[in-house]
Amino acid sequence: MYNILVCDDDKEIVKAIEIYLLKENYNVLKAYNGEECLKILKENTIHLIILDIMMPKKDGIETIEEIRKDKTIPVIMLSAKSEDEDKINGLNLGADDYVTKPFNPLELIARVNSGIRRYTKLGNLQNEEDKNIYRSGELIIDDNLKRVTVDDKEVKLTPTEYNILKFLTKNKGIVYSIEQIYKNVWEDEAYGAENIIAVHIRHIREKIEINPKEPKYLKVIWGIGYKIEKI
Amino acid sequence: MRNNKLLRAISYILIPILVGIILVACLYTMAKGNIYYVGVRFEDQYMRMLQSISRTLIYYDEKDAPNHIDNETKIWQTGNVYSSVNIDTYYYLIKYKNKAITNIPSYRVSSMTIEELKNFIHNVKGNKFDIVNGKITSDELDVNLDNYANDFIFSYYHTEVAKTDDNDTKISEVVNGTTSIEQFEIYSTYQKASKIDNQDYFINSVLNVISNYEDIMYVLVPISAVLIMILVVFLFISIGHTKGKDQIDTNDLDRIPLEILLLVGISAIFMILMVIMAFSNSNNYSKMFISTVITAYFVVYIIVAIILTTLIKRTKANILAETTIIGKIASLIQKLINKGKNVLSLFVSSMKSTRRLIFYTVMYLIIMLLVFAIFIEEKQLGVIADIGITIYVFYLIVKRANCFDRIEKQLKNIYEGNTEEKLDVESFTNEFKDTANYINDISNGFENAVEEGIKSERLKTELITNVSHDIKTPLTSIINYVDLIKQENIDNEKVKEYIEILEGKSHRLKRLTEDLVEASKASSGNVKLTLEKINVVELIKQTTGEFEDKFKQNNLEAIINAPEEEINIEADSRYMYRVIENLFSNISKYAASNTRIYIDVITDENIVKIWIKNISAQKLNISTDELMQRFVRGDKSRTTEGSGLGLSISKSLTELQNGKFEIQIDGDLFKVELEFERI
């Protein structure tokens, strides 16, 4: 049983999150402002925190600054502030994830699962030396078994999707245009039929990402190309 | 200390005394060097006289009857030979061979021999000297007379007039011989004290008195000089200031015209000098004269002091110019000229530009003619003067033309929205100053209005952002609890249907809130752009890929017509996607099923155009302008989902990235045209 601390000044939201988390067999602790959050954090063993930004007494920004002074536990920021600057600010201060309100409950749970897994299994990296295994964060492609897993969950891909993902993961961090991907994966000249690549990429995103519109692994750089983020 | 009246009074009194000391010292030093040179030195004079008498003695002929004859020597007797020497006290006896000459009165001479005469001289009271055999013996002569003895060597001549055949007179000179001091015996008295000429007696007597204090004087002079400087500086600083007053203290004296004061002062000094001159000419050197000179000196000092004091005061009070007659006249003339100028400029400025131009032209012609008329005798000069005037007038015109150009440029600036630069009104000629001022005012007003606009737009954006945050929090609960209800086992079909509606609408509300914030930010320009090189074709392919499913749902087919090459523009990658995404999203909602979407990329070297065309499902009985407005949607019934902000956001974002966004409606054909600069 993992302990999850949910901190939001809106009691109904905390309650709703609690219901979702209980269904996933997490133990839930509740706080309604930053100070309570820090107090509970001191007295209990917490594995993940869901933290609202706009709260009375001590807001989420101050709270995460406090937490990050001595703790590395995963923190998911939950806020109605949806501007890019807010997200960047939150992540820069040490948040592991940023979810905007109103959130999709499934997405939130998925992110909680991912966070817990990363936190509890940190340092358990296996088969790092195997040449046929490519990875970025929790995205692992085992070319021996032709198997793709994200957060330990297997993802079913078509052969084409698999090839595209393998190529991008192999060269993670580098941006490839549709044409380049086509040439590299099909090892052929592009004829304009490569339009289909964009569709494939979308399908891959839908399969491996928690929120395909805000992808973590397979990033879209509009007007330039695609890349697998180096994590 | 500056305001100390006592100190000031002491300064006024001390200064003339100290100056007096220095003056006297100067006079003394000058005169001292001159004591021996005022007139001829006694020795020179007296010895020369003796020489001359000796010379005469050589030529005395035995035929000339001497008025006294000694047993061996004939003795001549002379009167006061040398006027400048008081001969009464200077007795002499000069003997040469068997001749002698003396100035001892004849009644004595007639009864005396040479020896007796010598004794007589020796018995006279005072100083004496003898020259015998070229040697001078003197009781207390303080000047060495040996040089004079040497000077006695001279030649004597005998002149003869010879007659020639042509009756011309020729003079032949025969040197008879030379003689020297050794051949004379001279006995004489002299008066030691009377070194100085009679005329300078007074001055010299004064100098003699001073000479007793010479040592003290040389100490006093530098001290006095330093003291004078200190006192004068003190007075310069102090004059005009009174205790408890900030202003310079002036009185009636300081308002008397300076010229009158100077005139009175200078003539007074002149008169005093005249009086002194008169005194000094009368040879009447007395104590009276000294006291007169000293009095005159102080009177002159007082006059000078008064004039200098008032000058300092006037300078300090800054009334120097206005208290002179010349200054008053000058300011009067200045006033008159200004008045004339005002009248003229009023006259000119009351005219309209056209009339003014005519007025100036006529003036110009009149001046040209006048100048030419003046120089009618010297036509070349007249032409040169006229050319000069014309060049000057041309310069004036150019200056005004430049003003006009600057005004025009500034108007263009304002028209283009550049209100930062302002006109420098001072640099404009008088005719344009008002205009320049008006333009600056307009520019300021414009600037303020724009600033106000930006400010209010920003406030609006902030308000919308804040409100949207406040809406999102309860909305989160609504969405979450609707979802939770859905997960409960509900048998009632109606409730299930209602929940579906609730879910749809809550999501719609969410979307609307997000779009609202985005639209307000985009339209107010309140977004941060990261411009980079973007391939338009890639972007369209990517976006088409994203929408493939949605298009398929309505049986829409996207057809991309793009050149093979890379077509790059400079834009923000994410915002460009938002532009195309919004358009595609609209198409997926409003395009008629089973139709094709044409996406054309048209380019030349400088411009990239993206045409997105589709067939609308509904009749588009709405103008493009209206369509572009916020919250307006193609279907007035508003049954389809969407906020109505998509087009507005796309347009704003396109324009923020320096692109053009246009919509064309041709029947059911809906066409969006994007235009960017190609790089």
Side-chain angles (χ1 to χ4, degrees), chain B residues 202-254:
Chain B
F202 170 74
I203 292 168
N204 280 295
S205 63
V206 172
L207 288 175
N208 275 338
V209 174
I210 294 167
S211 70
N212 293 333
Y213 304 99
E214 204 175 323
D215 295 340
I216 303 171
M217 199 178 67
Y218 285 127
V219 181
L220 271 180
V221 168
I223 293 175
S224 303
V226 172
L227 260 179
I228 289 167
M229 282 208 291
I230 292 170
L231 293 176
V232 166
V233 169
F234 165 72
L235 281 180
F236 257 95
I237 296 166
S238 162
I239 284 171
H241 296 279
T242 5
K243 226 171 213 171
K245 269 194 194 170
D246 287 340
Q247 273 181 322
I248 301 298
D249 198 29
T250 56
N251 50 34
D252 290 341
L253 185 73
D254 300 320

Side-chain angles (χ1 to χ4, degrees), chain B residues 588-602:
Chain B
S588 69
K589 280 179 229 157
Y590 303 121
S593 302
N594 301 314
T595 55
R596 276 174 285 272
I597 307 153
Y598 287 91
I599 302 142
D600 300 335
V601 178
I602 297 146

Side-chain angles (χ1 to χ4, degrees), chain B residues 514-526:
Chain B
E514 282 163 358
D515 280 2
L516 187 62
V517 173
E518 193 174 7
S520 114
K521 283 198 161 188
S523 68
S524 68
N526 204 355

Side-chain angles (χ1 to χ4, degrees), chain A:
Chain A
M1 283 280 267
Y2 295 117
N3 292 334
I4 293 178
L5 174 56
V6 181
C7 181
D8 194 320
D9 61 325
D10 190 314
K11 290 185 179 168
E12 281 71 35
I13 291 179
V14 176
K15 176 85 185 149
I17 295 173
E18 188 189 14
I19 294 167
Y20 287 115
L21 289 176
L22 286 175
K23 279 186 185 164
E24 296 285 317
N25 276 330
Y26 287 115
N27 190 18
V28 177
L29 289 91
K30 289 174 279 186
Y32 299 109
N33 61 52
E35 278 175 10
E36 276 180 44
C37 169
L38 290 173
K39 201 178 151 209
I40 293 169
L41 194 59
K42 228 180 223 175
E43 292 162 357
N44 300 278
T45 313
I46 304 292
H47 297 98
L48 187 140
I49 303 170
I50 297 172
L51 188 63
D52 184 24
I53 288 184
M54 288 181 288
M55 285 187 297
K57 285 188 185 172
K58 192 166 236 168
D59 70 18
I61 299 292
E62 286 175 75
T63 310
I64 193 163
E65 280 178 332
E66 283 283 312
I67 295 170
R68 279 292 172 253
K69 278 179 186 167
D70 53 356
K71 287 197 168 63
T72 56
I73 47 167
V75 175
I76 297 173
M77 298 298 263
L78 183 64
S79 175
K81 285 186 166 183
S82 55
E83 315 309 312
D84 288 341
E85 302 97 83
D86 301 325
K87 289 181 190 173
I88 290 164
N89 192 27
L91 293 173
N92 278 345
L93 282 168
D96 297 80
D97 229 331
Y98 196 103
V99 177
T100 53
K101 287 180 190 170
F103 55 88
N104 177 347
L106 292 177
E107 186 188 336
L108 182 67
I109 298 303
R111 287 183 190 276
V112 168
N113 289 341
S114 171
I116 287 285
R117 209 199 85 85
R118 207 180 318 146
Y119 182 55
T120 52
K121 300 208 172 150
L122 208 68
N124 260 359
L125 306 174
Q126 323 144 325
N127 302 328
E128 194 64 354
E129 303 83 33
D130 197 325
K131 273 187 180 174
N132 287 327
I133 290 178
Y134 311 106
R135 67 183 296 159
S136 170
E138 292 305 315
L139 167 70
I140 299 165
I141 302 169
D142 189 336
D143 205 27
N144 298 321
L145 306 168
K146 306 280 176 211
R147 205 173 89 118
V148 178
T149 54
V150 178
D151 288 333
D152 274 353
K153 275 184 206 154
E154 189 173 346
V155 178
K156 297 278 177 207
L157 295 178
T158 65
T160 314
E161 288 165 3
Y162 178 83
N163 284 334
I164 293 171
L165 184 62
K166 190 180 85 180
F167 168 71
L168 288 173
T169 314
K170 230 163 140 181
N171 304 291
K172 60 184 177 184
I174 303 169
V175 181
Y176 290 96
S177 69
I178 291 171
E179 200 181 326
Q180 285 167 323
I181 293 170
Y182 188 88
K183 275 185 195 165
N184 280 290
V185 174
W186 272 264
E187 290 169 351
D188 199 353
E189 279 301 308
Y191 287 112
E194 69 271 18
N195 271 5
I196 203 80
I197 297 283
V199 181
H200 284 310
I201 298 246
R202 180 168 55 82
H203 288 153
I204 299 170
R205 278 208 331 271
E206 281 160 2
K207 286 174 181 172
I208 67 166
E209 299 287 352
I210 293 172
N211 181 354
K213 291 210 165 152
E214 284 176 40
K216 181 180 171 190
Y217 299 110
L218 212 180
K219 296 251 158 116
V220 189
I221 293 106
W222 302 105
I224 298 171
Y226 303 93
K227 69 166 177 179
I228 287 285
E229 190 77 23
K230 218 173 185 173
I231 301 168

Side-chain angles (χ1 to χ4, degrees), chain B residues 347-360:
Chain B
F347 171 65
V348 171
S349 64
S350 67
M351 292 191 282
K352 287 256 157 53
S353 293
T354 336
R355 280 194 206 169
R356 214 185 293 174
L357 194 65
I358 292 167
F359 173 75
Y360 281 136

